[in-house]
Structure formats: C-alpha cells, structure tokens
Amino acid sequence: MATREANWDTPLDTGGEVFALLGNPRKAWIYTYIDHHPATTIQAIVETLDLPQRTVYEYVDDLEAAGFIEQSNDGRPAEYTAHGIDLQLVAGDAERRITPELVEAIARRIRDDDVDTYIDRHGLDGLAVALDYVREYVGGSVTHRIMAREQELSPLEAGVILDALRPVVED
Amino acid sequence: MERDGEIVFIDSSVLISCGRRDSTRFQALAREARQRDAVFRISPQVYAEVTGDPALDAYFPDQSPVDEAVREGWMKVTESPAYSDSDVSTVMDRARNFIANSSDRSEDIVEKADTEIVGLALETLLDGAGDRVLVVTNDIPLGEAAESLLPNYGFDDEQITWLTGSELAAELAEDFVPEFD
C-alpha cells in the first residue's frame, strides 16, 4: 500500500510572503473565523478561539497589512471583515487554487488530529489536492476508493481526509 | 434477531468517519446497533480497509475499533459475495459501470471493493436471509447504485434502502470542529 511522504518542494509548500497565512494554522484560524463572522472584534476572537490576546493583535495586524482583512467600522472597538482570496498557482504541471476553503482546511489542523496528520504526511499541496476531491465527494461524483486509487493512498486515508474536510465544503 | 428481517451493511466510509473507539460517533454507531437489535455486517474488503492498513497507526493509534466491535458481537464480517452466482456477478458489473458513469471515470478505476456491498445486498435478498437490506455508506455513487440496481431483480424499492452514516444515526453527523459555523 502506497504511503507517500510529504513533498515540501511542491507549489503550496514553498515560501513567499502570501504563504505566511498558509504556513501558520493559528493565523489561518483567525482569518477563517473573521471570514465566517463579518464585523468581528479582537475580543470576540480572543474569547471564542481561546488564543492569547497579544497573539491575536499581532496576527490581525499581519492579516490587515497583507490585505486579507480590513477594519469595517470607524469606531471602537475595531471590527474586521475578511476579503475573499482566490489565487491561482502554477508550477510545472501542477495548478493549485488558494481559496478561503483551503485556508480553513489548514486552520482545522489545530483542532482536528486527522487533518494535522494528513498534512504531516502529504504536505499542504496534498491537502489542496484532497480538497478538490472533497468537492467531488460532497457533490456525489467520487467514492473514497476512487480517490484512493487515483492518488495512490489507501482507502482508509482517503476516507479519513474526505470526512475531516467535508464540513469545509458543506459550510 | 434483526428487526423485521432487516440486514444492515456498513461501508468503510462510515466506519472511518466514526473514528476511534472512544469517539462519540463510534459510540453512537454501537448504540444504534443495540437499539435496532441488529448485528451490523461488513464485507471482508471493508474489514481489511479499516484494520489492515499501515496508515492506521497514524490516524487511529488506539487500533481499529472494528475488532472490538466484532468481539462485542454487534458487528460481524461476512463472506465475500458469491461471484459464481451470475445475478451477483452481473449486479456487481452493473454497479461498477454505474459508479464509473456517476464519477465520469473509466471502469478500470472502479474495483471489486466499490461494488462488493451491492453484490452482498443482492445475495442477501436472493437467499432470503433478510427481507430488507440497509446499505449504509457516505459514498453517494455507491449508495445510488444500490438503490437503483437492486429493484431490477424483482424486489420492491422498500426492500432496499441507502442511508448515509448521519441518516442512520443523526449523532454521526456531530462533533465536527464547530468554531467556524
């Protein structure tokens, strides 16, 4: 049974400033929370996500500077709203889309051991490929065994990641 | 005895989703079996997928809960379907074709494991081992194949039901990471 190691040289696993969001699951988590709850405050993030206040301030600043979120009111406390992300990335034959769904998938590794393990084994690039299958799976055009065969995974591993990422697509 | 001669087949997509033995979803599956007074059945292929995989340790460090379920008696591993029975082998071929069409793939990509449950379900009805069959899978093409193909062998629609895991037991849909919803 094929078990591929993560290839950290594939498009999504390489560096670049925009990738700070993808490489930092807590930052991805904050972005995703704001994306799901427009006009949210730092205090709401701190309380809901149970992160240190200093970290949240720092990451919100980073996200705002990078243009992923913006302050959506004039008053205090500041309220933030997320911008959509849709980047197409091409490296050789591989094409990957960076979307809020991918950011959310990465964010979930904080609370979902299966997502965390999958990323350890297959990298962010593998996660992005899996997310494409999740869309097909939820849409009813693929089984976990077909994903397993096409991606040279075991059915167990395909089933694990399809199940773990299903809510990202179904939201 | 199983209620009203109802036989329940569980696919690996559902067992994987239920996860570890101590998860609420796996407990919910066990509870559902008790409430139905049923022994859930899994095919040899499904059993192999959820117990014999080297990746198992990475995702299920406590070992597969399926062996424990079998020991506890609410799940059992069936024989393989009787491929020598022409109805059974034909329905499996049709299921393969059905899944390939739904998935817009060539039939080569659909192997026996995808269609085994459909073969077992038909065999159960033909043998009279059960009056009704429940196929529980989260794989939509497989569930649709079971529901659309089996009535062609002279059975009522009511005798064949496809359910997803969360339709079998609503609790199986719960305990996903909730913070974003």
Side-chain angles (χ1 to χ4, degrees):
Chain A
M1 216 156 297
T3 303
R4 296 180 311 170
E5 295 299 316
N7 177 1
W8 296 101
D9 293 327
T10 43
L12 293 181
D13 299 312
T14 48
E17 206 164 317
V18 69
F19 298 99
L21 181 59
L22 306 178
N24 184 332
R26 292 164 103 194
K27 202 179 270 190
W29 207 21
I30 291 171
Y31 171 82
T32 302
Y33 185 77
I34 297 171
D35 190 35
H36 284 244
H37 302 90
T40 198
T41 63
I42 294 212
Q43 203 50 41
I45 297 169
V46 169
E47 285 167 11
T48 313
L49 303 188
D50 195 22
L51 291 171
Q53 187 151 330
R54 230 176 99 184
T55 307
V56 175
Y57 270 107
E58 184 188 326
Y59 287 174
V60 164
D61 274 351
D62 289 352
L63 289 166
E64 193 178 16
F68 293 128
I69 62 170
E70 66 172 10
Q71 188 175 343
S72 54
N73 67 339
D74 293 329
R76 282 165 149 295
E79 295 174 351
Y80 294 91
T81 296
H83 291 173
I85 300 171
D86 197 350
L87 296 171
Q88 187 84 13
L89 202 66
V90 181
D93 292 339
E95 287 182 27
R96 302 280 178 264
R97 271 178 78 202
I98 301 174
T99 62
E101 285 179 349
L102 179 62
V103 176
E104 178 171 343
I106 291 164
R108 280 180 183 261
R109 78 183 298 181
I110 292 179
R111 290 289 177 91
D112 190 321
D113 292 342
D114 291 339
V115 175
D116 193 45
T117 303
Y118 195 85
I119 293 174
D120 284 346
R121 289 167 65 90
H122 302 287
L124 297 180
D125 203 65
L127 184 75
V129 172
L131 196 55
D132 287 337
Y133 277 93
V134 175
R135 292 189 191 97
E136 273 205 86
Y137 188 67
V138 169
S141 62
V142 83
T143 67
H144 71 297
R145 296 188 182 96
I146 289 176
M147 176 189 171
R149 224 151 291 142
E150 290 182 345
Q151 292 304 313
E152 297 178 18
L153 301 168
S154 66
L156 177 108
E157 196 155 34
V160 162
I161 198 63
L162 288 171
D163 189 64
L165 293 184
R166 204 167 47 180
V168 174
V169 171
E170 285 177 340
D171 275 353
Chain B
M1 288 305 292
E2 269 129 308
R3 193 169 66 191
D4 304 320
E6 176 187 81
I7 305 287
V8 183
F9 289 99
I10 310 277
D11 187 24
S12 57
S13 54
V14 174
L15 295 174
I16 292 165
S17 170
C18 290
R20 296 161 187 81
R21 184 171 151 67
D22 59 358
S23 84
T24 55
R25 279 189 272 174
F26 198 81
Q27 303 291 334
L29 191 67
R31 204 158 44 241
E32 189 63 30
R34 279 198 298 276
Q35 278 167 8
R36 288 172 178 267
D37 200 11
V39 177
F40 289 162
R41 305 189 184 201
I42 59 174
S43 72
Q45 189 70 38
V46 165
Y47 178 76
E49 285 171 353
V50 294
T51 58
D53 188 321
L56 203 64
D57 286 346
Y59 294 96
F60 300 90
D62 308 331
Q63 291 300 305
S64 167
V66 169
D67 281 323
E68 192 60 27
V70 170
R71 269 197 291 279
E72 289 170 358
W74 57 272
M75 192 175 289
K76 78 173 186 186
V77 186
T78 68
E79 303 285 315
S80 292
Y83 306 117
S84 55
D85 181 314
S86 65
D87 280 340
V88 171
S89 56
T90 307
V91 84
M92 288 176 67
D93 285 346
R94 287 183 181 156
R96 189 166 73 154
N97 180 266
F98 187 101
I99 294 170
N101 279 338
S102 312
S103 309
D104 198 20
R105 261 100 170 157
S106 91
E107 285 192 33
D108 307 344
I109 206 80
V110 186
E111 288 171 14
K112 249 177 210 163
D114 287 291
T115 63
E116 217 177 39
I117 286 183
V118 180
L120 284 169
L122 179 62
E123 193 177 64
T124 300
L125 292 170
L126 290 173
D127 288 356
D131 301 330
R132 300 198 306 127
V133 173
L134 266 184
V135 170
V136 187
T137 178
N138 292 336
D139 288 1
I140 295 171
L142 175 57
E144 288 180 344
E147 276 196 333
S148 75
L149 297 174
L150 295 176
N152 297 334
Y153 292 81
F155 300 104
D156 295 335
D157 289 351
E158 295 77 45
Q159 289 179 272
I160 299 114
T161 308
W162 158 47
L163 297 177
T164 61
S166 56
E167 287 167 341
L168 178 76
E171 295 157 88
L172 302 195
E174 290 170 10
D175 93 358
F176 285 117
V177 181
E179 281 84 358
F180 303 132
D181 304 334

